């Protein structure tokens, strides 16, 4: 039968529950351990809380160490916290002065951070990472993100990690498995590592850097208005501009090469794409691109 423990007032307390339990405590430096399913509500202080199963933990401000071995949710205030969630769930940091270290397992997670955070996952299945305010976040050994005042969504589908920069200023680093980066309305720097990554431009400004020569760069009609730079486009990479063939863009004088770069302009100049350091093989300018070069711009040869 679950145990319910209520601790009134402040002070430092040690509580151990050897099954499922609920603990409610006030301010103070408390140490709480629940072996099974746990629900904890606690005030400000420097607390250590461990839940062996699924759990829900709400803590105030302070430098807390909180761990849930299953799925659940963790909510904290300001402070330098270390938060671990092994299963699926949600982590919310409400303190703008927070500077948290967040460790994730293999679940699908939502993280809301108003201050600063470093987020890591051993298997890099972090689910969803969202940051609001002027905070910064970083994600783990397999991939990472530095965020300043924005929102980032991270999913995994069929072995592919998806990083969606919804808004704000951020830097995304892919993992060693395939990553799909999606830009948003803000400023995003995307760097791949697997050599088989996909970069999707947003409506803001993006800088895209792939590794190797099997990357795909997509620009979709629903994200018009962006300014994009691809730093190392090479033979073997693919570039798609939805709704526009390269032949059409060339006929409208919207493809040009100069200063060692290739430039593509779409939607009357609202969307621009720069292939930094890449000049297509031509004999008299961009209009003389050979068929082999055209394949570098479009994954689907039928669009030529």
């Amino acid at each position: 039968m679950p145990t319910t423990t209520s601790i009134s007032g402040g002070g430092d307390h040690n509580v151990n529950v050897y099954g499922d339990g609920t603990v409610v405590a006030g301010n103070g430096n408390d140490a709480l351990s629940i072996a099974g399913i746990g629900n904890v509500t606690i005030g400000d202080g420097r607390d250590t809380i461990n839940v062996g199963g699924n759990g829900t933990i709400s803590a105030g401000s302070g430098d807390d160490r909180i761990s849930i071995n299953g799925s659940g949710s963790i909510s904290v205030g300001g402070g330098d916290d270390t938060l671990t969630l092994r299963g699926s769930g949600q982590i919310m940091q409400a303190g703008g002065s927070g500077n948290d270290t967040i460790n994730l397992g293999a679940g699908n997670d939502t993280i809301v951070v108003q201050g600063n955070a470093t987020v890591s996952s051993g298997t890099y299945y972090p689910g969803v990472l969202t940051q609001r305010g002027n905070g910064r976040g970083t994600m783990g050994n397999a991939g990472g993100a530095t965020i300043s005042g924005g929102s980032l969504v991270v999913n995994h589908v069929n072995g592919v990690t998806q990083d969606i920069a919804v808004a704000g200023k951020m830097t995304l680093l892919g993992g060693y498995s395939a990553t799909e980066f999606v830009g948003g309305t803000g400023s995003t720097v995307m760097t791949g590592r697997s050599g088989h990554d996909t970069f999707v431009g947003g409506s803001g400004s993006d800088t895209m850097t792939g590794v190797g020569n099997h990357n795909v760069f997509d620009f979709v009609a629903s994200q018009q208005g962006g300014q994009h730079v691809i730093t190392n486009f090479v033979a073997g990479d693919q570039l798609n501009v939805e709704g526009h063939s390269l032949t059409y863009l060339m006929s409208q004088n919207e493809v040009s090469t100069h200063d060692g770069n290739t430039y593509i302009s779409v939607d009357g100049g609202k969307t621009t794409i720069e292939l930094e350091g890449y000049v297509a093989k031509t004999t008299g300018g961009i209009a003389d691109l050979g068929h082999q070069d055209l394949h570098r711009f479009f994954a689907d040869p039928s669009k030529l």
Side-chain angles (χ1 to χ4, degrees):
M1 185 174 180
T3 299
T4 299
T5 302
S6 181
I7 304 170
S8 60
D12 302 339
H13 304 279
N14 292 294
V15 178
N16 293 293
V17 177
Y18 297 100
D20 300 340
T22 298
V23 177
V24 179
N27 297 334
N29 302 322
D30 302 312
L32 312 176
S33 178
I34 300 174
I37 298 172
N39 296 290
V40 177
T41 302
I42 200 165
D44 297 340
R46 191 169 186 172
D47 305 306
T48 300
I49 305 169
N50 295 297
V51 174
N54 297 337
T56 300
I57 299 173
S58 177
S61 297
D63 301 339
D64 302 314
R65 298 182 63 88
I66 297 174
S67 176
I68 297 177
N69 201 45
S71 298
S73 65
I74 300 172
S75 176
V76 296
D80 299 340
D81 306 306
T82 299
L83 312 175
T84 300
L85 180 60
R86 298 299 183 193
S88 298
Q90 177 177 272
I91 294 178
M92 299 184 66
Q93 184 240 79
S97 62
N99 187 13
D100 296 342
T101 299
I102 299 174
N103 304 302
L104 302 175
N108 298 317
D109 305 303
T110 300
I111 301 176
V112 179
V113 178
Q114 292 183 346
N116 303 323
T118 298
V119 183
S120 63
S121 173
T123 54
Y124 195 50
Y125 289 142
V128 180
L129 171 63
T130 304
Q131 176 149 348
R132 299 172 182 170
N134 294 318
R136 295 179 180 274
T138 305
M139 278 191 310
N141 296 326
T146 299
I147 308 168
S148 180
S151 299
L152 171 66
V153 175
V154 180
N155 296 319
H156 61 280
V157 179
N158 297 325
V160 177
T161 299
Q162 185 182 58
D163 293 351
I164 305 173
V166 179
K169 182 180 180 181
M170 64 188 70
T171 299
L172 308 177
L173 175 64
Y176 295 110
S177 60
T179 301
E180 180 182 52
F181 302 93
V182 182
T185 60
S187 174
T188 308
V189 176
M190 317 172 191
T191 303
R193 283 201 287 185
S194 75
H196 294 80
D197 297 314
T198 299
F199 301 80
V200 182
S203 60
S205 59
D206 303 316
T207 300
M208 308 172 179
T209 302
V211 173
N213 60 353
H214 292 89
N215 300 293
V216 177
F217 301 89
D218 288 334
F219 300 91
V220 297
S222 61
Q223 297 291 325
Q224 296 180 4
Q227 291 76 49
H228 314 284
V229 177
I230 302 173
T231 66
N232 64 340
F233 188 84
V234 296
D237 288 338
Q238 298 172 342
L239 188 150
N240 302 298
V241 181
E242 185 180 14
H244 299 278
S245 70
L246 183 59
T247 301
Y248 171 80
L249 294 174
M250 289 165 53
S251 71
Q252 300 298 308
N253 296 317
E254 292 186 333
V255 181
S256 62
T257 61
H258 55 85
D259 299 326
N261 306 316
T262 297
Y263 299 89
I264 302 173
S265 178
V266 183
D267 304 320
K270 295 179 181 178
T271 303
T272 60
I273 305 167
E274 175 185 349
L275 279 62
E276 188 177 80
Y278 177 83
V279 177
K281 295 178 181 179
T282 65
T283 56
I286 196 74
D288 295 324
L289 280 168
H291 191 73
Q292 183 176 1
D293 284 315
L294 295 182
H295 276 272
R296 297 177 185 173
F297 284 91
F298 290 89
D300 184 356
S302 66
K303 295 181 180 180
L304 302 176

